[in-house]
Every structure is written in C-alpha cells, then in structure tokens.
Amino acid sequence: MFEDYPVKEDAARVFEVVRGGGVAIFPVSVGYAIVGHSDDSIERMYTAKERSFDKPCGNFGDWEIFNKIVEVSDQAREIVRVITQEHDLPFSIVGPFVPDNPVAKSLPPFAFKNSTKAGTMDLLMNAGPLHDEIARLARENNFAVVGSSANVSLTGSKFVFEDIEAQVRDVADITIDYGLVPYHNDQGLGSTIIDLVSYETIRVGCVYDQICDIIKDGFDVDLKAITAAKAAG
C-alpha cells in the first residue's frame, strides 16, 4: 500500500506538525494511528478517543531506538530482532526504559506520564514504511512521537480512513489517507503487545499466532501458556 505514496514527504509533514504541538492521523501497517507530543496534543487525543488516562500511549520506535532506550535481557532483545528483522512482522513491546534517554526526556510532564507506566514503555516497531520513517525522524531529532490507534477507545482499530469516527478525525491538525492498510482484519486487531520481562501477552493483535510460533520454536518460550497461567492466578 505504501509504494505509490510519497512516504518520506508525508512523514516529514507529520513530524513537523507533531513537533509544532499538533495532532496527526495517518496509516501504519496495523491500522490508522493518531499521534502527538505536547501535553495539549496528548490531552486532545485522549479526549477525542474517550480513552482512560490510566491507559498509556505507545511510542514510535525502530531497532536503534529500542536498543538505546529499552533495558531487557539478551534473549528478549534477540526475540525482537528475529520478529521484526528476520520475519518482518509488526510488533509492540513493553519493557523497562532509560528515563534519561534524549528521546524520552523530550516529552513534557503530562505527555511523559501518559506514555510510560511504572518505569516501562510501550514501543511500536516495524509497522510499515511511514511508521519507520517517522520513527527515524523521532530518533534523529531526539523528539518522541507517541500515540494510539485512531479510533474511539475499545471500538477496534480502523483500517481505512473513512471508518475513523468523526470526533477523532476532527481533532487532527494533519491527516494522511493511504486507503486500506496491509494487516486489516475482521476483529479490529492492532499490533500484538508483549511484555519483554514476564513474556505475558498484554494484547492479542494481528499476527499473534505467528509471533507465538516464532518465539516458541526459536526460544522455547510459550507466550500462550505463560499468559494462561497468569490469568489462572
């Protein structure tokens, strides 16, 4: 879907709006995203989405950001490399982060509070060329881009721009429409989110079964069994 669009130019436009305190909506491979950086933009996003402030935003990242900002075991780091680089799958992870990393430090207080939780950070990785280019700009400029799926909370990810609710679309200062995203599905599933310390599944998303198989076969870690045991108490 990204081949016929000016990805670099659109990423630059999105990044400038976000750097200027605005809100942007655009497609990543797992659905349409809404992002910001400033305290005002984050508050506007949460209000438009009707999202609980108890639920933190995700952070746009790439392999280099991940290696500099997230502190996890060598095994967990290799898992991320295999999934995102060898298998080229989208993946969201949660792990402890370095709070004085320049990207993290760029966030103002309210935005920082709402894009981290208990010393951990959610990082979306490998979610398509537009995502990756915005993540590169965030890294090279030491300026975090944080956000969520562009939809009213708990209604499921939106895979075409027209399906995004008007109250969410209207809060954006820039919107990018590339049509139907690659990982569209009937369940409204966005990215899979895995805790890289406990290996608990935080959210079942698209390609979840593939990710589980890769990790079980390559690392002898059974995500489904770990999550089931946690749920059982």
Side-chain angles (χ1 to χ4, degrees):
M1 70 170 283
F2 295 95
E3 292 179 358
D4 298 326
Y5 294 97
V7 168
K8 286 194 174 183
E9 293 85 349
D10 285 342
R13 292 198 299 136
V14 165
F15 187 73
E16 286 307 308
V17 167
V18 172
R19 185 153 61 175
V23 173
I25 291 177
F26 55 90
V28 298
S29 65
V30 294
Y32 277 76
I34 183 168
V35 303
H37 172 96
S38 67
D39 286 348
D40 175 69
S41 66
I42 302 304
E43 187 168 2
R44 287 163 58 198
M45 285 166 42
Y46 270 81
T47 300
K49 284 175 55 70
E50 302 177 16
R51 183 179 176 91
S52 168
F53 285 105
D54 292 333
K55 296 175 65 176
C57 295
N59 296 260
F60 270 38
D62 59 14
W63 178 245
E64 290 187 51
I65 291 178
F66 169 69
N67 279 303
K68 291 178 179 177
I69 203 169
V70 179
E71 297 183 306
V72 291
S73 68
D74 290 343
Q75 180 191 58
R77 200 167 300 281
E78 181 64 4
I79 284 172
V80 174
R81 188 194 67 79
V82 168
I83 290 171
T84 60
Q85 296 185 16
E86 291 190 10
H87 292 271
D88 194 24
L89 295 174
F91 195 31
S92 285
I93 62 88
V94 169
F97 70 98
V98 180
D100 61 354
N101 178 277
V103 176
K105 286 180 68 176
S106 73
L107 287 164
F110 182 81
F112 182 86
K113 178 179 180 293
N114 285 281
S115 58
T116 62
K117 185 175 182 178
T120 67
M121 172 181 287
D122 179 315
L123 205 64
L124 173 64
M125 302 176 63
N126 199 43
L130 188 53
H131 162 275
D132 294 348
E133 182 65 13
I134 294 169
R136 181 188 68 80
L137 291 169
R139 168 171 49 81
E140 291 184 353
N141 290 276
N142 290 323
F143 193 88
V145 175
V146 301
S148 180
S149 54
N151 54 266
V152 171
S153 190
L154 305 179
T155 65
S157 292
K158 301 299 186 282
F159 306 117
V160 292
F161 182 80
E162 292 79 7
D163 286 348
I164 303 170
E165 297 88 351
Q167 68 189 65
V168 178
R169 293 198 309 266
D170 291 348
V171 78
D173 300 292
I174 182 174
T175 61
I176 306 290
D177 182 359
Y178 283 3
L180 184 66
V181 304
Y183 288 101
H184 58 90
N185 56 81
D186 294 335
Q187 295 77 42
L189 301 177
S191 62
T192 288
I193 308 176
I194 303 297
D195 185 316
L196 289 184
V197 175
S198 67
Y199 292 127
E200 182 181 356
T201 301
I202 296 175
R203 184 175 74 192
V204 172
C206 63
V207 301
Y208 178 65
D209 288 339
Q210 288 175 257
I211 288 172
C212 287
D213 289 344
I214 291 165
I215 295 176
K216 187 175 181 180
D217 293 344
F219 300 92
D220 197 28
V221 174
D222 190 334
L223 297 182
K224 294 180 180 179
I226 289 169
T227 301
K230 180 78 172 181

